[in-house]
């Protein structure tokens, strides 16, 4: 906490977070600060958080007086419904500015790259709210049942060694994931116009409205191209057959690249696009029936981009395309498996987004602390999870207040 206050002035930033309560017995700043510590300690629920509220370490870390009453689980849930998301995004914006100024957020091959993707959370057959998305699911022995769920889209700034989860937006009833993503991209580019030059995404985002939006802001896109754009794919494949591929060797992997530009047939898009294909083969050994056999692993990738061959070479497009995996591996996989982001802390649309934004803040501060503050000799041979457990242990090892009589 001392690190978070010294480097990011978090204590002061929490005081700027607002909520919509009419009467506040406990100041608003206590709640995001508690939730921030909850995520750092990798706790799984507000009830677990409630059990720690009287620990001296918590009070000291949160900077609260000994005699101040700390909120219970119900109060935390009540306030999380009312936390102002714009002021929470301001705290994340402050982190972004600090990380940019300190050159923690690096460029990839000279370009600032971001990834956008969606994630499903909190599906249930019983619990729902007014913003829940619904779908019919065939359940064995129970026929067709309505399933309630939420979907959230996230924008992450990518880098070689550090990534920042910058914003999140809940998919509203009646809209699709791309609609929510467009709203989030507009907001990010309005607030931080220089946060990225290239947006990457999976095949769902290879749509004319998304490409038009990024071009409107003078940015570019590199999106996975799949069968959804059959005409463009067929045209590109016909031209690839006439081209001899360029060959790149990366360690054990051999990459064959094809690159054709100037496609203008995409309906609804007035910008020519370029299609890049990469076929990547890596020799591997497979153990079959107790015998090692040599084999070759082959991956096929195709991307569509608004960047021309003059602006960016083929190998860089392939690098940007692969960088998109960071939002899966160092984004969703990590926050779901290690930070319990999937857990339904409180089923309310505002709570879900508020908690994810506070999680993003905790995630950035934690990784900044481990990679930039701890000495390399200390970090050697110790995985990230070791440091997460060390931080959690710092809270749990403290004594109770008041001490048991
Ligand atoms: Zn809901």
């Amino acid at each position: 906490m001392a690190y978070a206050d010294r480097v990011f002035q978090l204590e002061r930033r929490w005081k700027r977070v607002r909520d919509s309560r009419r009467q506040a017995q406990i100041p608003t700043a206590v709640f995001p600060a508690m939730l921030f510590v909850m995520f750092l300690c990798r706790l799984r629920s507000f009830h677990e958080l409630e059990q720690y509220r009287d620990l001296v370490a918590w009070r000291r870390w949160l900077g609260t007086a000994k005699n101040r009453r700390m909120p219970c689980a119900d109060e935390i849930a009540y306030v999380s419904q009312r936390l102002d998301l714009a002021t929470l995004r301001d705290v994340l914006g402050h982190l972004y500015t600090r990380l940019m100024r300190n050159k923690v957020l690096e460029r990839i091959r000279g370009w600032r790259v971001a990834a956008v993707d969606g994630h499903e959370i909190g599906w249930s057959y019983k619990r729902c709210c007014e913003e829940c998305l619904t779908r019919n699911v065939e359940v064995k022995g129970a026929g067709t049942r309505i399933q309630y769920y939420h979907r959230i889209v996230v924008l992450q700034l990518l880098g070689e060694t550090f990534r920042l989860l910058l914003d999140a937006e809940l998919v509203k009833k009646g809209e699709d994931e791309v609609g929510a993503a467009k709203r989030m991209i507009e907001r990010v580019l309005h607030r931080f116009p220089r946060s990225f030059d290239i947006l990457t995404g999976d095949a769902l985002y290879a749509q004319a409205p998304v490409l038009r939006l990024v071009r409107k802001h003078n940015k570019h896109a590199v999106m996975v191209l799949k069968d959804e754009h059959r005409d463009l794919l067929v045209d590109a494949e016909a031209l690839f057959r006439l081209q001899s591929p360029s060959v790149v060797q990366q360690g054990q992997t051999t990459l064959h690249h094809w690159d054709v530009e100037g496609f203008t047939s995409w309906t609804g898009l007035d910008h020519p696009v370029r299609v890049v294909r990469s076929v990547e083969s890596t020799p591997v050994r497979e153990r079959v029936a107790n015998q090692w056999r040599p084999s070759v692993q082959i991956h096929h990738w195709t991307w569509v981009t608004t960047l021309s061959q003059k602006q960016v070479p083929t190998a860089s497009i392939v690098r940007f395309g692969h960088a998109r995996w960071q939002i899966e591996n160092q984004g969703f996989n990590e926050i779901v498996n290690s930070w319990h982001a999937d857990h339904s802390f409180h089923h309310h649309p505002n709570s879900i987004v508020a908690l994810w934004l506070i999680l993003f803040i905790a995630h950035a501060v934690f990784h900044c602390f481990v990679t930039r503050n701890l000495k390399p000799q200390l970090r050697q041979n110790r995985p990230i999870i070791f440091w997460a457990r060390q931080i959690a242990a710092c809270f749990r090892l403290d004594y109770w207040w008041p001490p048991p009589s």
Side-chain angles (χ1 to χ4, degrees), residues 128-129 132 150 347:
C128 74
C129 63
C132 258
H150 283 280
H347 192 126

Side-chain angles (χ1 to χ4, degrees), residues 41-56:
C41 295
R42 316 291 172 104
L43 305 182
R44 290 158 193 262
S45 69
F46 292 161
H47 284 103
E48 198 180 355
L49 177 65
E50 190 187 72
Q51 291 163 28
Y52 290 91
R53 63 181 170 164
D54 286 325
L55 280 178
V56 168

Side-chain angles (χ1 to χ4, degrees), residues 1 42 50 67 328 332 334 400:
M1 289 300 279
R42 316 291 172 104
E50 190 187 72
N67 54 357
E328 301 280 357
F332 294 127
E334 189 193 330
W400 290 92

Side-chain angles (χ1 to χ4, degrees), residues 240-341:
F240 287 157
R241 273 183 233 118
L242 305 173
Q243 206 179 52
S244 53
S246 57
V247 183
V248 179
Q249 191 68 36
Q250 276 180 6
Q252 290 276 301
T253 309
T254 311
L255 300 94
H256 288 80
H257 294 159
W258 289 262
D259 187 342
V260 178
E261 65 177 359
F263 293 98
T264 51
S265 55
W266 200 333
T267 319
L269 190 68
D270 52 6
H271 191 278
V273 291
R274 169 183 172 197
V275 179
V276 172
R277 162 160 290 183
S278 177
V279 176
E280 300 163 10
S281 46
T282 313
V284 289
R285 283 200 315 153
E286 281 180 335
R287 196 171 167 86
V288 181
N290 277 340
Q291 296 227 322
W292 286 104
R293 287 182 193 169
S295 166
V296 181
Q297 221 169 45
I298 300 176
H299 294 287
H300 294 257
W301 294 98
T302 310
W303 296 279
V304 59
T305 178
T306 53
L307 286 154
S308 68
Q309 289 174 348
K310 216 172 162 185
Q311 287 170 304
V312 172
T314 315
S316 294
I317 298 291
V318 174
R319 176 73 190 93
F320 302 147
H322 283 310
R324 191 195 78 78
W325 281 101
Q326 292 180 16
I327 198 169
E328 301 280 357
N329 300 331
Q330 284 88 22
F332 294 127
N333 277 2
E334 189 193 330
I335 63 170
V336 166
N337 296 322
S338 301
W339 297 77
H340 315 299

